[in-house]
Amino acid sequence: QVHLVESGGGLVQAGGSLRLSCAASGRTFSSYALGWFRQAPGQEREFVAAISRSGDNIYYHDSVKGRFTISIDSAKNTVYLQMNSLKPEDTAVYYCAADAGSMAAVGVFTYEYDYWGQGTQVTVSS
């Protein structure tokens, strides 16, 4: 089992940057694929980015490609989401999640993930 805690959210102007962190306790990151999702008010939770257990496969939603980067610091058991060129439509609660799937799997659906953090709010003003 793994416990996930996100941090790094906040208020930023359009065009700005934020880096979200998700620290894990329990089993190490090598046991899980890791993903970031977001949920805006009144909308369903949607996929943002994910990295496979092996670290070889990374996938981004089209809306964040070229602006967001997912990365892992295994020594710190932390996954990051670097968000640049932020837009007002990026405003949401951001969640990290862990999936005890196969080594190469990169899940894009919420049901593929076994563990979730509590979320961190990101607000982008225009």
Side-chain angles (χ1 to χ4, degrees):
Q1 196 167 9
V2 64
H3 181 60
L4 305 171
V5 179
E6 302 97 333
S7 61
L11 174 64
V12 63
Q13 289 189 331
S17 298
L18 283 174
R19 188 178 77 159
L20 305 183
S21 300
C22 176
S25 60
R27 296 178 66 181
T28 63
F29 272 167
S30 61
S31 300
Y32 300 95
L34 298 160
W36 285 97
F37 288 75
R38 65 187 180 188
Q39 188 167 19
Q43 298 187 21
E44 294 188 354
R45 194 169 297 188
E46 67 173 7
F47 170 78
V48 176
I51 184 167
S52 63
R53 285 178 62 187
S54 65
D56 294 334
N57 297 316
I58 295 175
Y59 191 68
Y60 297 97
H61 190 277
D62 285 346
S63 65
V64 306
K65 280 182 182 177
R67 300 189 299 122
F68 290 11
T69 303
I70 187 172
S71 63
I72 291 175
D73 185 334
S74 298
K76 296 182 179 180
N77 245 19
T78 300
V79 59
Y80 301 99
L81 186 68
Q82 177 66 44
M83 305 186 296
N84 299 328
S85 302
L86 282 161
K87 305 174 181 180
E89 51 263 44
D90 294 318
T91 295
V93 177
Y94 283 70
Y95 299 88
C96 70
D99 165 26
S102 65
M103 288 296 289
V106 180
V108 300
F109 299 104
T110 56
Y111 66 77
E112 296 180 275
Y113 288 81
D114 305 293
Y115 303 100
W116 292 84
Q118 84 290 346
T120 185
Q121 176 71 46
V122 171
T123 303
V124 184
S125 63
S126 56

